[in-house]
Amino acid sequence: MNATHLAIQVEKQSIYNLSEEELTSWVIKQGIQPFRTKQIWKWLYQKKVNSFDEMSDLSVGTRALLNEHFSLASLQEDKVQYSKDGTIKCLFTLNDGNLIETVLMKHNYGPSICVTTQVGCNIGCTFCASGLLKKVRNLSSGEIVEQILCMEYKLNEGRGTAKPKKISHVVVMGIGEPFDNYDNVLRFIRIINHKAGLAIGARHITISTSGLATKIKTFAEEGLQVNLAVSLHAAKNGLRTQIMKLNKAIPIELLMEAVDYYLEKTNRKVTFEYILLKDVNDQPSCALDLAELILSGNRRHLIYVNLIPYNPVSELDQYQRSDPESIAAFARMLRAKGVNAVIRREHGTDIDAACGQLRSKQLRQ
Ligand code: SF4
């Protein structure tokens, strides 16, 4: 392989990184007619081809240019786990050898995917397997889009000629802090939401942040109908800092100011994620603190609480799962105070269910 070959390889980027407008600019620059963009997007997002050569209504020259400039596969399947409840967890190797994981869950409202946005994470949630491994880099928008395409392929494996199933819901809640990779995540959302892209409805997309206050405010200005979830896990600063190191830099007061700004600007609901850790944040006093935080201010009707039973991680033995009775009692106390609270249904408990668990296991090996 000579230097020219190397240069060409380095320049090749995933075609899924490009918005429709960016692809149109590229097409025009190559002297190709702009309407070809629509044809290319159709092959990518509706016909979901695996090679540019399958794009049969494009000229040989256009396909050669696409081959020269872009790649179609940034993700290689490394390991797959299948749960009895239909959950599929995939470990992927990226082009630079880094590992990420993606989870597909089957709900009664349709197949839902949890995507990863960074290789590792710097937020430092002390209960999280992903946080054990520091951030290496951000994922490109194309690498996030491809997680959906790969998992949709898995969803349809073995279904023969039956009508292909589509992933209908997306949660941006896998490894990484999505707002620490803001531009690529927003670009990803716009591509999958685009009617000529994957056409996944904005209200079927949820982005979950650990609480980057400034970015929550920026997100409020985007005019998107995407759902926002915020990982709270404790309603008092001391406890939240113990659970999430980020709270030292962005305490609850700053976070709530940003949440209030978002609520006022968008009038959309916000979900507070609350992972229940036995004898750490699952006591009745914690439920009362949480209710008080939500009910103070004008937030009552727009805040929902999602209670998440903890999936233990072997490297983090300081945390245990709360008893089912404590979880139910916690939910009851919130509801009695007038807070909308649900207990999240669990998926994939018979496989490495915790976020980042499969990846960290593989890296240790
Ligand atoms: S829970 Fe999310 S934000 Fe926190 S360390 Fe894990 S991946 Fe990062």
Side-chain angles (χ1 to χ4, degrees):
M1 184 178 286
N2 61 34
T4 320
H5 280 118
L6 269 175
I8 289 169
Q9 281 209 343
V10 169
E11 278 164 23
K12 266 195 186 187
Q13 63 156 324
S14 166
I15 192 156
Y16 300 106
N17 280 334
L18 270 59
S19 65
E20 201 193 24
E21 300 74 44
E22 287 163 341
L23 185 59
T24 305
S25 311
W26 179 84
V27 157
I28 292 169
K29 220 158 113 193
Q30 303 303 317
I32 303 166
Q33 286 174 303
F35 76 89
R36 297 288 180 197
T37 302
K38 286 208 167 18
Q39 286 174 303
I40 297 170
W41 260 46
K42 199 166 178 187
W43 285 110
L44 293 176
Y45 295 109
Q46 285 157 42
K47 301 194 174 173
K48 296 170 185 157
V49 291
N50 293 315
S51 81
F52 294 116
D53 295 328
E54 290 174 62
M55 300 182 172
S56 54
D57 53 5
L58 300 181
S59 70
V60 173
T62 302
R63 281 183 261 160
L65 276 171
L66 288 167
N67 265 316
E68 190 187 322
H69 288 85
F70 300 111
S71 78
L72 267 170
S74 318
L75 269 55
Q76 295 299 323
E77 188 181 302
D78 184 304
K79 271 199 170 51
V80 194
Q81 292 182 333
Y82 296 90
S83 162
K84 278 188 246 149
D85 66 15
T87 302
I88 305 173
K89 190 163 198 172
C90 249
L91 186 72
F92 293 111
T93 309
L94 303 174
N95 282 343
D96 60 4
N98 279 304
L99 296 172
I100 57 162
E101 56 179 56
T102 309
V103 186
L104 176 80
M105 292 151 292
K106 294 181 184 163
H107 293 280
N108 46 16
Y109 51 76
S112 166
I113 186 174
C114 176
V115 294
T116 281
T117 54
Q118 297 181 311
V119 178
C121 183
N122 280 344
I123 295 298
C125 302
T126 54
F127 57 82
C128 172
S130 303
L132 289 171
L133 302 156
K134 291 288 160 229
K135 175 179 136 184
V136 178
R137 69 169 174 88
N138 287 329
L139 294 197
S140 69
S141 46
E143 287 169 324
I144 315 174
V145 172
E146 284 189 51
Q147 291 174 57
I148 300 185
L149 296 171
C150 289
M151 290 312 252
E152 208 164 78
Y153 179 79
K154 295 228 81 63
L155 180 68
N156 286 298
E157 244 173 9
R159 285 176 40 81
T161 51
K163 190 173 175 229
K165 286 187 180 177
K166 276 193 74 189
I167 288 176
S168 59
H169 291 70
V170 176
V171 288
V172 187
M173 212 178 270
I175 301 171
E177 162 52 59
F179 282 169
D180 184 35
N181 184 12
Y182 191 87
D183 293 343
N184 289 345
V185 168
L186 264 278
R187 177 193 292 257
F188 154 75
I189 286 172
R190 292 200 161 101
I191 291 172
I192 64 166
N193 177 234
H194 196 296
K195 61 181 186 322
L198 290 174
I200 297 175
R203 286 161 195 255
H204 287 191
I205 303 170
T206 301
I207 183 158
S208 174
T209 175
S210 56
L212 301 192
T214 323
K215 290 288 163 53
I216 291 174
K217 288 184 178 172
T218 311
F219 189 63
E221 309 285 347
E222 300 282 356
L224 291 167
Q225 300 290 307
V226 169
N227 306 309
L228 178 69
V230 174
S231 297
L232 193 68
H233 310 319
K236 294 274 184 210
N237 278 322
L239 184 55
R240 190 163 188 266
T241 304
Q242 184 190 321
I243 298 173
M244 304 173 75
K245 292 182 194 150
L246 169 86
N247 193 70
K248 223 187 263 180
I250 308 172
I252 290 172
E253 296 72 25
L254 270 184
L255 172 61
M256 292 313 294
E257 190 207 317
V259 168
D260 285 342
Y261 180 86
Y262 177 88
L263 294 175
E264 202 187 318
K265 200 86 201 162
T266 66
N267 203 31
R268 292 185 57 73
K269 75 169 198 180
V270 169
T271 301
F272 280 171
E273 307 282 353
Y274 195 104
I275 199 156
L276 284 155
L277 307 164
K278 186 177 167 61
D279 299 331
V280 176
N281 66 350
D282 68 345
Q283 301 92 326
S285 61
C286 298
L288 292 177
D289 291 342
L290 180 57
E292 194 187 319
L293 180 73
I294 292 170
L295 300 176
S296 61
N298 198 16
R299 312 172 179 129
R300 178 193 291 249
H301 301 296
L302 284 171
I303 303 258
Y304 286 66
V305 176
N306 202 359
L307 297 171
I308 308 167
Y310 177 57
N311 280 314
V313 177
S314 53
E315 306 93 313
L316 302 167
D317 55 7
Q318 76 264 42
Y319 293 126
Q320 273 91 47
R321 189 186 180 84
S322 298
D323 313 316
E325 304 78 51
S326 309
I327 297 175
F330 200 96
R332 268 199 311 275
M333 284 191 81
L334 290 177
R335 289 178 197 139
K337 290 279 175 193
V339 174
N340 294 304
V342 292
I343 301 168
R344 186 192 283 175
R345 211 184 115 209
E346 293 186 81
H347 292 271
T349 44
D350 54 334
I351 55 177
D352 290 312
C355 164
Q357 210 173 359
L358 180 57
R359 173 173 177 260
S360 63
K361 209 187 222 177
Q362 177 82 349
L363 288 172
R364 276 201 316 280
Q365 279 168 9

